[in-house]
Amino acid sequence: MKNLPEIIDNKRKSLLSVILEASPNFDELSIATGYWDIEGMKLVLDSIKNYKKIRILIGREPLLKRNNKQGIDQPEPDYPDQDFFNDLEQINPTLELKEVVIQMKELIDNDQLEVRVFRRSFLHAKCYIFGSYESSEAVGIIGSSNFTRNGITTNAELNALESDHRVVMFQPKSTEQEIGHLYWFDELWNDEKTEEWTGKFIELLNNSNHGQHIFSPYEMYIH
């Protein structure tokens, strides 16, 4: 694709701006991230809310382990539940946030948004893949940016963009061949130790102190 930078560092070009530029050309997005927050989703939601499919794969980063005294090589069983819940407690409830949450719930209800957690091991990789195997074009971004507000806007990051769809969509025919971005993502997405987490954030939201602020008493009753 034209005019998309090959290197994205949030200084010369933010990942957010690249996502917003690329998104009108696609209807599917796959994201692997060490963490994900609602404020990051809020920044891109308008540009992807009509997508056929949005897949978010969350995996605990090694540097974020709470306790490594026993040499633990797998994420804690409660990740990312407790981390996400703690973040919700820090967010100031606003009408704008309420609208974002409502739209995300609609995406889930319509099977447009799906979230899974990778539990086989720690996941340090981050990627953003526009397109699918059926797409005529595809863009793959791999690097250091988590799918968070700071990760796609202000943190000092380094991400590499691949706009050659033949590379992004490549499916190897042997173990000696290189893999494409989508193939790498699908291997983790379909791993037997990857767990469904799609509706969990709604439960965490409703159980947090913000549930009573973001939703009216009637909405909470209906839920």
Side-chain angles (χ1 to χ4, degrees):
M1 295 183 62
K2 296 180 179 179
N3 302 322
L4 293 180
E6 294 184 358
I7 297 297
I8 307 162
D9 60 2
N10 284 344
K11 182 179 180 181
R12 297 165 182 81
K13 192 83 168 181
S14 71
L15 179 55
L16 173 61
S17 65
V18 174
I19 291 174
L20 296 180
E21 288 177 31
S23 58
N25 301 288
F26 301 96
D27 59 11
E28 293 194 35
L29 174 62
S30 301
I31 298 174
T33 180
Y35 194 61
W36 163 54
D37 63 23
I38 290 180
E39 292 182 314
M41 187 68 163
K42 179 176 66 175
L43 297 176
V44 304
L45 186 57
D46 282 345
S47 65
I48 63 174
K49 63 183 179 182
N50 294 320
Y51 273 29
K52 292 191 304 184
K53 179 61 67 175
I54 304 163
R55 299 186 296 172
I56 300 177
L57 181 65
I58 305 173
R60 172 67 110 174
E61 294 186 82
L63 297 179
L64 296 181
K65 290 185 293 184
R66 301 190 197 103
N67 186 348
N68 195 29
K69 294 180 180 179
Q70 297 178 352
I72 300 173
D73 62 357
Q74 292 184 338
E76 299 88 338
D78 67 344
Y79 180 78
D81 301 29
Q82 190 60 46
D83 302 78
F84 199 85
F85 183 83
N86 290 339
D87 277 359
L88 287 173
E89 298 292 276
Q90 306 300 319
I91 297 175
N92 182 36
T94 63
L95 290 176
E96 184 181 14
L97 177 60
K98 176 178 178 178
E99 181 60 30
V100 169
V101 173
I102 290 173
Q103 289 186 29
M104 291 174 67
K105 290 179 66 176
E106 290 176 350
L107 289 174
I108 288 175
D109 291 341
N110 295 332
D111 294 324
Q112 294 169 263
L113 172 62
E114 186 175 359
V115 185
R116 297 184 184 182
V117 177
F118 182 70
R119 299 202 184 278
R120 177 172 293 279
S121 60
F122 292 102
L123 178 63
H124 209 327
K126 292 90 179 176
C127 76
Y128 300 76
I129 307 169
F130 287 93
S132 67
Y133 290 119
E134 289 71 40
S135 302
S136 59
E137 297 290 337
V139 168
I141 301 169
I142 55 176
S144 61
S145 288
N146 278 318
F147 187 27
T148 62
R149 180 187 61 182
N150 291 339
I152 63 176
T153 59
T154 59
N155 285 350
E157 308 283 359
L158 186 62
N159 302 285
L161 183 146
E162 177 58 68
S163 58
D164 187 339
H165 66 279
R166 295 168 297 180
V167 175
V168 179
M169 301 162 63
F170 185 73
Q171 302 179 66
K173 303 300 187 294
S174 69
T175 56
E176 287 74 28
Q177 290 183 324
E178 297 284 349
I179 61 174
H181 298 61
L182 270 173
Y183 188 89
W184 173 87
F185 182 91
D186 285 342
E187 279 195 318
L188 273 62
W189 183 258
N190 297 313
D191 189 279
E192 62 181 10
K193 290 193 176 182
T194 296
E195 298 179 0
E196 178 70 33
W197 202 74
T198 303
K200 186 67 176 181
F201 90 96
I202 296 294
E203 177 184 337
L204 294 171
L205 179 64
N206 289 338
N207 289 335
S208 73
N209 292 332
H210 284 263
Q212 59 184 316
H213 297 293
I214 295 177
F215 299 103
S216 69
Y218 175 75
E219 290 170 319
M220 290 294 293
Y221 172 78
I222 293 299
H223 176 78

